[in-house]
Amino acid sequence: MATAALAIAPDLITTLHGRPRGHLAVVGIGPGQSAWRTPEASRLIAEADELVGYGLYLDLLGPLAAGKPRADFPLGGEADRCRHALERAGQGARVALVCSGDAGIYAMAALVWELIDTGTVSDAARRAEVVVAPGVSALQAAAARVGAPLGHDFCAISLSDLLTPREDILRRIRAAAEGDFVVAFYNPGSKTRRTLLAEARQTLLQHRPPETPVLLATSLGRPEERLTHRTLATLAVDEVDMLTVVLVGSTQTRRLETGDGPRIYTPRGYARKEPVP
Ligand SMILES: C[S@@+](CC[C@H](N)C(=O)[O-])C[C@H]1O[C@@H](n2cnc3c(N)ncnc32)[C@H](O)[C@@H]1O
């Protein structure tokens, strides 16, 4: 049983008692250049009162972030970053939590939902409205740069064993190799983690030829972008860093020389339906 009263105000009400429901937008801004940012992502950032994120990603926003209070968090401070964003939204703020690429692919959206689900944030934070805005992921940007290597079935595997047991990663690599998926390797190696990509290469070589096309795409959409074409035989682990995504073709993936440089594509199977003239 409740009593409610409604009234129409003659003017805009500027003083409110109580607090508005907070809003957290978990926003993927694409890998780098602003042309790869969706209008929805730009709108949510423009509408935010404050920004939360890893400093490098906030810097990538350029003028869109100008004048907004920002909470920069270091790499590795992911739980603190998400908790801070949720708690600020719980206090009634309109917050944008900024992620690179897509917000739900190896990014913060899953951790935000996990914190809400496991109750490790305040009740106020759990009542905030949360929306997730998708973005262009690194694998899509890399593929677009070199043709259409993801034209048929593909999968993504993160080679970071910081959060995933090494044995699970190796099992997924074996399954991808046996299933003949094109594979996008995220987090392919850092200064201290260098062995998993070499192991992945060995496993894949048991199921696909040494001349299988490989692309190392580094710093996509940023001034220092680098695209390096290799094969499974010539893939060198030392050429990757934490800003590289590695695309490895399937047995069907082909490399094509064009006047604009090499292109890679994976046919969808139309040749089986229509004879090529
Ligand atoms: C924590 S994951 C973030 C993925 C991101 N949410 C996405 O959808 O692209 C970080 C990994 O994504 C890849 N990555 C992110 N941005 C990249 C870029 N601009 N160029 C190449 N790879 C990138 C790298 O493999 C990097 O180690």
Side-chain angles (χ1 to χ4, degrees):
M1 300 290 282
T3 305
L6 292 181
I8 295 177
D11 291 310
L12 199 64
I13 298 175
T14 52
T15 319
L16 275 179
H17 298 287
R19 231 172 19 205
R21 187 179 179 210
H23 187 273
L24 173 60
V26 192
V27 181
I29 60 167
Q33 64 193 23
S34 58
W36 281 340
R37 199 179 301 143
T38 69
E40 183 193 35
S42 297
R43 177 180 57 77
L44 287 165
I45 291 166
E47 287 173 0
D49 304 324
E50 47 194 270
L51 308 177
V52 180
Y54 170 47
L56 171 72
Y57 303 159
L58 297 179
D59 291 342
L60 283 173
L61 292 174
L64 198 54
K68 290 194 191 285
R70 47 185 265 181
D72 292 35
F73 281 81
L75 266 189
E78 285 84 8
D80 288 344
R81 206 187 301 171
C82 291
R83 196 170 278 115
H84 175 83
L86 272 165
E87 294 298 347
R88 287 296 301 138
Q91 288 156 17
R94 220 181 152 82
V95 183
L97 174 58
V98 176
C99 308
S100 83
D102 181 275
I105 299 181
Y106 306 125
M108 297 298 102
L111 182 50
V112 164
W113 292 115
E114 190 178 341
L115 291 174
I116 292 171
D117 184 35
T118 54
T120 49
V121 287
S122 67
D123 285 345
R126 296 174 75 196
R127 279 196 293 272
E129 184 184 5
V130 178
V131 297
V132 180
V136 173
S137 192
L139 66 81
Q140 293 166 281
R145 281 286 196 246
V146 294
L150 308 180
H152 210 305
D153 295 338
F154 64 91
C155 66
I157 300 178
S158 167
L159 293 183
S160 170
D161 57 4
L162 295 176
L163 300 172
T164 310
R166 204 180 163 78
E167 194 37 56
D168 289 355
I169 299 174
L170 293 172
R171 185 161 51 90
R172 285 167 198 164
I173 295 168
R174 285 195 297 274
E178 283 169 18
D180 199 23
F181 286 93
V182 175
V183 189
F185 289 112
Y186 281 73
N187 305 302
S190 66
K191 287 196 180 71
T192 52
R193 293 185 301 99
R194 304 220 60 87
T195 59
L196 270 167
L197 185 60
E199 290 185 52
R201 176 175 167 271
Q202 283 313 112
T203 305
L204 288 163
L205 273 169
Q206 291 165 17
H207 296 267
R208 48 193 88 174
E211 58 275 13
T212 301
V214 172
L215 173 74
L216 314 179
T218 302
S219 296
L220 287 153
R222 305 180 191 170
E224 59 280 15
E225 176 176 300
R226 205 170 61 246
L227 301 172
T228 310
H229 288 267
R230 292 283 178 260
T231 63
L232 257 188
T234 61
L235 167 60
V237 171
D238 286 343
E239 289 185 292
V240 306
D241 59 23
M242 281 307 279
L243 272 176
T244 305
V245 66
V246 179
L247 299 188
V248 181
S250 70
T251 58
Q252 303 305 307
T253 305
R254 300 175 197 167
R255 182 179 151 130
L256 169 78
E257 298 304 327
T258 77
D260 297 317
R263 294 291 180 265
I264 309 174
Y265 73 101
T266 307
R268 293 188 63 197
Y270 288 110
R272 281 197 296 276
K273 291 184 71 181
E274 291 176 38
V276 178

